[in-house]
Amino acid sequence: MRTIDWVDGAVELIDQTALPARLTVLRIGTVEELVAAIQRLAVRGAPALGVAGALGVALAARHPDDVAATVRRLETARPTAVNLARGVRRAAARLPEGADAVLAEALAVRDEEIAASAAMAARGADLLAELCGARPRLLTHCNTGALAAVVGGTALGAVLELHRRDALGAVLASETRPLLQGARLTAWELGRAGVPYRVAVDGAGPFLMARGEVDGVVLGADRICANGDVINKIGTYAHALGARRAGIPFVVVAPESTVDPDTAGGEEVEIEDRGAEEVLPSSARPDGVDAVNPAFDVTPHELVTAIVTERRVIRLDRAERV
Ligand code: MRU
């Protein structure tokens, strides 16, 4: 089953806000609905956002009232993952050729992500086996499985490939506050695949690494900067610091569509702040209490062992360049 696809003239996607309680497919016929789905994280994860953006332009091309403004709303629905704006721009570049050309481009974005997932899984599994020893116990953060892509996934795709090879120890899924992409979505995917896993609260990761319970950290990215800085779900930086302190590999698996040579370093990236309500619902918040809720953080390149894409392995620990 694909997380997101074009079906009979509309976008269909799994509503990730309903998981793991319910597997529901939403059918989306307008860009307004799609923007709302992106903003409430019904569809999320960098590769899936790229496909959503491109398919959204295909929707806009069929109702060509003020397409430029519609495209802009899509492109800016969430600011941090480079895939969204990239998918939108790629499909929008075909607008002068008409709606069929836009759809063809959007489907190409989808198909490239599907192909990239399989290649990353194989390369990522090879590298994890090489760096983390036999049957490694791996910690992952957020959700980087099929739900974050179209099929397969990025970091979780590599973990699942190790499992298929009967070469995986176990997985620690970091819960990923505040929306629990780890505890809800990664846990759901690992459970369906029959992978042995436990969920850990975000703050436990570095301690469990220090106590010798983790052989490597593997996770995804929302943007990889030209200098190798990695932008990913809030909590990633703490795991990278923990991995460095414990002397274990910190591996990022992401498609080339997440590599952004136009962004020099992490300080240039707009980090989405999702507001106080997600952290402290107003019904349970004492008067006058506010919250800061950055959805992503920046892991400096010097803490990253390697980046794996569908085409290459970049060993930042050996001073290789993105
Ligand atoms: O806010 P989200 O759930 O869209 O954040 C997703 C992440 O940070 C993922 O780790 C990243 O997009 C990689 S997905 C393969």
Side-chain angles (χ1 to χ4, degrees):
M1 169 173 212
R2 292 179 175 176
T3 297
I4 178 165
D5 209 350
W6 182 264
V7 182
D8 299 331
V11 177
E12 287 193 354
L13 55 88
I14 293 176
D15 182 354
Q16 298 190 38
T17 64
L19 287 170
R22 288 184 314 282
L23 180 56
T24 312
V25 173
L26 299 178
R27 188 165 168 84
I28 291 181
T30 69
V31 172
E32 283 62 37
E33 289 173 90
L34 185 59
V35 167
I38 290 170
Q39 291 179 336
R40 68 183 184 89
L41 273 53
V43 58
R44 45 146 300 279
L49 286 174
V51 176
L55 293 177
V57 182
L59 284 178
R62 300 189 156 216
H63 308 282
D65 299 334
D66 204 0
V67 179
T70 313
V71 164
R72 182 87 194 121
R73 272 205 303 288
L74 255 181
E75 195 181 343
T76 55
R78 293 186 76 194
T80 306
V82 70
N83 300 63
L84 176 60
R86 221 177 227 175
V88 169
R89 284 184 207 139
R90 226 179 108 172
R94 304 287 301 274
L95 279 166
E97 297 166 64
D100 288 347
V102 173
L103 179 59
E105 192 66 33
L107 297 181
V109 171
R110 176 200 66 187
D111 293 344
E112 286 168 29
E113 291 299 349
I114 291 172
S117 278
M120 273 182 289
R123 270 184 207 284
D126 291 348
L127 186 73
L128 291 168
E130 180 192 328
L131 294 180
C132 304
R135 305 189 74 79
R137 299 157 303 166
L138 299 172
L139 182 142
T140 192
H141 188 59
C142 197
N143 171 266
T144 60
L147 291 170
V150 180
V151 294
T154 64
L156 202 67
V159 170
L160 294 174
E161 174 60 20
L162 270 185
H163 177 66
R164 281 191 288 272
R165 294 178 187 181
D166 196 20
L168 177 68
V171 177
L172 269 178
S174 186
E175 67 175 350
T176 317
R177 286 277 300 155
L179 296 179
L180 304 179
Q181 290 92 330
R184 291 188 302 109
L185 308 178
T186 300
W188 184 74
E189 291 199 54
L190 289 170
R192 278 166 60 107
V195 176
Y197 76 92
R198 287 178 300 168
V199 172
V201 297
D202 291 347
F207 173 62
L208 294 172
M209 293 177 215
R211 212 163 65 174
E213 295 185 26
V214 181
D215 300 311
V217 176
V218 59
L219 37 67
D222 291 272
R223 190 183 298 239
I224 293 170
C225 305
N227 69 351
D229 288 354
V230 171
I231 318 303
N232 192 48
K233 178 56 55 188
I234 189 75
T236 298
Y237 180 38
H239 290 321
L241 288 167
R244 174 56 54 91
R245 181 73 170 74
I248 58 173
F250 181 89
V251 174
V252 175
V253 183
E256 292 286 340
S257 57
T258 299
V259 178
D260 181 14
D262 296 332
T263 301
E267 66 288 347
E268 291 183 10
V269 179
E270 180 182 351
I271 302 291
E272 175 184 9
D273 189 297
R274 295 188 53 84
E277 191 63 22
E278 279 179 358
V279 179
L280 289 169
S282 44
S283 54
R285 193 186 318 160
D287 282 351
V289 173
D290 200 2
V292 57
N293 185 15
F296 303 95
D297 60 24
V298 180
T299 297
H301 56 89
E302 57 269 24
L303 294 179
V304 179
T305 307
I307 294 170
V308 180
T309 79
E310 67 274 30
R311 287 215 305 266
R312 51 196 175 137
V313 173
I314 309 159
R315 289 294 297 263
L316 296 185
D317 63 342
R318 295 180 181 160
E320 288 178 6
R321 311 275 306 172
V322 171

